[in-house]
Amino acid sequence: MSWKDMTNEIIPIFPLKLVAFPGEHLNLHIFEPRYKQLIADISEGDGRFGVSVYLDKLMPFGSEVHLEEVSKVYEDGRLDIKTKVIRVYELIRFENPFQDKLYAAGEIIPFENDISVAAHLHNEFIFYLKEFFRLIGEPQSIIPLAINSFTLTHKIGLSLEEEYELLVMRKESMRIQFLIKHFIKVIPVLREVERAKAKIRMNGHFKTLDALDF
């Protein structure tokens, strides 16, 4: 691969076993020499690099992030950095290492994302979202207009594979329906656990029982 052969954007690529959703803040600890070099290079440029999802292999979709801050530099050169996820991309070509660098880079195409969703579908999603966090005992401050399919997704118990499946959906309505199906599956289980806990709490308490006529 050479720079002149590529017609789309080229960014450094950082493969990780995680899914980074648009809008989230991603904090990373950098310790490998190749990624120290990557951060040094983007710090002198536009601050952008790609976090490509690695499952059992490098997946074709990932998230472009922007370096917001190098929070700490350790004596041995390790770094703590803060980034913000900008958008999803499709990885068209990948080279590791890239040219004379230690790190990989790739040619990407920005992901087209339809953010429109029907009001009734979004309202149903918010209902299930609130009920889920109530049942696990971690109520969240949920402002419906500020919530989308990515906002709290890391906290609702999806597997890495399910998070990736969500990431590559091109429509918000599809993502919302996917999450509603997840809630419909897990919320009844959580309600059963809640009922079991209530019964356990009653053990040892004085009980008033109806008299039996026999």
Side-chain angles (χ1 to χ4, degrees), residues 131-167:
E131 178 67 356
F132 174 85
F133 284 113
R134 182 190 73 80
L135 288 168
I136 66 171
E138 294 186 14
Q140 303 286 318
S141 177
I142 295 176
I143 303 172
L145 292 179
I147 298 292
N148 61 36
S149 59
F150 295 139
T151 309
L152 295 167
T153 302
H154 287 312
K155 298 183 178 182
I156 64 171
L158 294 180
S159 67
L160 183 60
E161 290 78 10
E162 288 171 326
E163 289 190 349
Y164 181 76
E165 187 177 350
L166 188 77
L167 183 75

Side-chain angles (χ1 to χ4, degrees), residues 202 205-211:
M202 288 299 296
H205 291 199
F206 290 101
K207 301 177 178 65
T208 300
L209 303 176
D210 292 335

Side-chain angles (χ1 to χ4, degrees), residues 103-140:
Y103 54 81
E107 182 181 10
I108 64 167
I109 297 177
F111 200 69
E112 295 297 327
N113 180 21
D114 180 358
I115 63 172
S116 61
V117 61
H120 75 276
L121 191 62
H122 189 262
N123 291 339
E124 184 181 0
F125 168 63
I126 295 298
F127 167 79
Y128 284 121
L129 193 66
K130 289 179 178 179
E131 178 67 356
F132 174 85
F133 284 113
R134 182 190 73 80
L135 288 168
I136 66 171
E138 294 186 14
Q140 303 286 318

Side-chain angles (χ1 to χ4, degrees), residues 21-25 84-87:
F21 293 121
E24 78 167 291
H25 293 274
K84 184 172 182 179
V85 184
I86 305 168
R87 58 184 178 176

Side-chain angles (χ1 to χ4, degrees), residues 38-55:
L38 185 156
I39 298 304
D41 286 352
I42 66 166
S43 295
E44 296 177 357
D46 60 11
R48 298 183 305 129
F49 67 98
V51 174
S52 280
V53 181
Y54 191 93
L55 297 177

